[in-house]
Amino acid sequence: MPTYVIEPHWANWMLSLEMFVAGLAAGIFFFIALANTTGRKEDREVGAILGFFPAPLMLIAAILLTVDLGEPTRFLNLIFTNPAAAERPGPFFLNPSSPMNYGTYVILVFGALTVIPFLDALRHTGRLPFGHGIVERLAHDPVGMFICAVFALATGSYSGVLLNVTNQPVWSDTYIQGGLYVVFSALGGFAAAGIAADRMRARETAGAVRTGLMGITLLAGVLVAVFVANLVALGVAQPLIGTTTAFVAPAFWIGAVGLAILYPLVVTTTGIRLQLARVNVSSLAVVGTLALLGVFAFRWSILHSALAAVAH
Amino acid sequence: MTANAKGMFVDTTLCTGCKACQVACKQWNELPMEDEAAVREHRAFLATSYDNTGHLSSTNWRHVKFIEQFSEDRTDARWLMMSDSCKHCEQAGCLEVCPTGALYRTQFGSVDIHQDVCIGCRYCVGACPFGVIDYNGRTGRVNKCILCQDRMETGDGTACAKSCPTSSLTYGRVEDLKAMAAARVRQLHAQGKTDAYVYGWDLGNSGVITQGPNKGQVVKDMEVVGGLNVFYLLMDQPSVYGLPSAPQLPQRNMTPSAGVALISAAVLGVTGLAAFRRRRMEPAMRGASPPQAPQAVS
């Protein structure tokens, strides 16, 4: 075994889940920002209900990360310079060459911003006792939502850039992990919006979700093709194209490519209606659910691809 | 390079594999045995070779590698031994990515860890091109060789070098060690051992491998990641010793990766805006609901 490859604990399931829920929160917020500023009344209603999700999802991500790292107080060292690290100047810690540092600040701001759609969701459902006016203004201000969308997309891309800036097989073999992660994050957001639109019978919004899913899955397909081609050209694609270990290749191809990209792409492009037993499996609720599974499979398989490379 | 940087020169031709350095390291740094999981997984004692540790870990900061090369008919054999540890790189990937300042450059040019600042994120584990740093499940922090920082401060040098009975490990000023390495390579070449070269610094030597599977291949000194404060005299290709032939800093990917993410985000923004402008209605629904004019935000 090469000595310069990660130990298995680096890529445990908890890390996959952390990345998935944080990415989903970012993707949903991206959809909300679009719906609230450029959408119609029906879109904003779907957006308002989706507003219940980003904040709790970020909370779940934080809890998982805390459990993973063991001590919550340690997180403070990511933000404030620990007195023991006297080599670094200033009260706030920033290592300019560490993507994790930038990511910490981005996620911190994004986590705080998720409160806005959450409060808007409460307002929309009549559960907010005060501040209706300011919450509504914040949640629908185009400039504010643009800033929120930027932080959401930065959060979505964070894990990908993080994996890219390592010395691990697959993770660092291409430059496009950041792009892949942000696209899959948006894909998750639109998939969740599709489920919500379907359940709420919001037909106009469902139409927007279909167009969005079509464009995003096309973009994801192009990036995945470039990603795999790049790995093949470098001769390091075995973890993803072979069946070496731990279901990495099946999860990638069936989950990430099949469920998250191809199935939504085919359904949204052709408008095909598929019945399985009595279930309309081409409905946005089904397509969205399968796409979410695929997004999780994407994160899981990429995270574990480094381990599969070792086994290979 | 840090002025007056201290480090070690590892002359693998002098290593007998006695593992006194490993024992001294364990003893001085009070390192426990591998954790229970490692014992269960038979990583604590391999029993497949005289190499009884297998690899560096959070509790094995030094590891004597046994590279056993046999010909197919097993009439010809050679053992290459190498006492491995953290290289204390001039451009250290671990230090570059550490998000808390736990990893830092000491006044001796070595890379040390503030244990009370480390959050156990393990980012340095994935960033090190040599696989040196390891996560310690018991403490929730990372560990590696710290070049006996406490001993260096008192002028004692490293415990491993002190215990080496063949002077395979030599502690001192890096500049002095480089001169020593250059002289040693010249000496070996003069003896016909043209395999010898330096891994870590380019001192201008080159040669040809005379034994083993890579016989006939050209080797030459190589400076990696800005130079290594703990560097090696090797007798075969780096990969034979489990060392990367071209280690790189993880930061090489940072700007391109962020750039691709930025472009992808911009395309997503346009796609998202287009989605709300040109809606793809379900066939059955087409015409059912006339498109509304965009409304002002209420």
Side-chain angles (χ1 to χ4, degrees), chain A residues 3-4 10 43 74 77 84 93 95 97-98 101 136 140 162 164-165 167-168 172 175 204 207 210-211 268-269, chain B residues 96-99 101 114 117 119 122-123 126-127 129 131 140-141 242 248 251 253 257 278-280 289 297-298:
Chain A
T3 56
Y4 46 94
W10 221 95
D43 303 329
R74 286 186 188 177
N77 290 347
F93 189 82
N95 178 356
S97 58
S98 176
N101 252 172
E136 195 175 350
H140 298 87
L162 198 69
N164 240 174
V165 186
N167 262 314
Q168 300 304 309
S172 62
Y175 296 140
E204 292 287 325
R210 272 191 208 92
T211 311
T268 55
T269 309
Chain B
E96 296 282 312
V97 301
C98 179
H114 290 303
V117 182
I119 60 169
R122 287 161 270 182
Y123 200 32
R141 294 173 168 89
Q248 290 179 297
Q251 278 70 25
N253 285 346
S257 183
R278 299 183 67 85
R279 298 166 193 248
R280 290 183 71 83
S289 171
V297 174
S298 59

Side-chain angles (χ1 to χ4, degrees), chain A residues 78-146:
Chain A
L78 288 164
I79 302 157
F80 303 107
T81 306
N82 187 298
E87 301 79 18
R88 303 278 183 173
F92 293 102
F93 189 82
L94 179 67
N95 178 356
S97 58
S98 176
M100 193 177 276
N101 252 172
Y102 295 112
T104 301
Y105 287 108
V106 165
I107 288 174
L108 208 63
V109 173
F110 175 68
L113 290 174
T114 57
V115 174
I116 297 172
F118 189 78
L119 292 176
D120 191 47
L122 288 177
R123 180 195 65 80
H124 186 78
T125 52
R127 293 171 190 161
L128 187 71
F130 52 84
H132 282 238
I134 190 166
V135 168
E136 195 175 350
R137 266 201 306 281
L138 279 172
H140 298 87
D141 176 59
V143 176
M145 279 296 110
F146 174 77

Side-chain angles (χ1 to χ4, degrees), chain B residues 169-228:
Chain B
L169 302 178
T170 311
Y171 167 82
R173 280 183 65 241
V174 173
E175 285 308 312
D176 297 340
L177 296 173
K178 282 157 75 173
M180 178 192 275
R184 175 64 175 157
V185 172
R186 279 197 301 274
Q187 183 189 35
L188 287 166
H189 282 202
Q191 292 171 357
K193 296 279 185 189
T194 59
D195 323 53
Y197 70 100
V198 172
Y199 182 86
W201 296 102
D202 186 357
L203 305 178
N205 302 296
S206 63
V208 179
I209 297 172
T210 58
Q211 273 183 285
N214 297 322
K215 187 175 177 179
Q217 289 183 7
V218 174
V219 283
K220 58 181 181 179
D221 290 355
M222 53 175 76
E223 181 177 312
V224 294
V225 285
L228 305 178

Side-chain angles (χ1 to χ4, degrees), chain B residues 63-74:
Chain B
H63 164 228
V64 179
K65 290 181 178 176
F66 280 63
I67 297 112
E68 292 141 7
Q69 295 179 326
F70 292 93
S71 59
E72 279 189 20
D73 59 2
R74 298 185 74 81

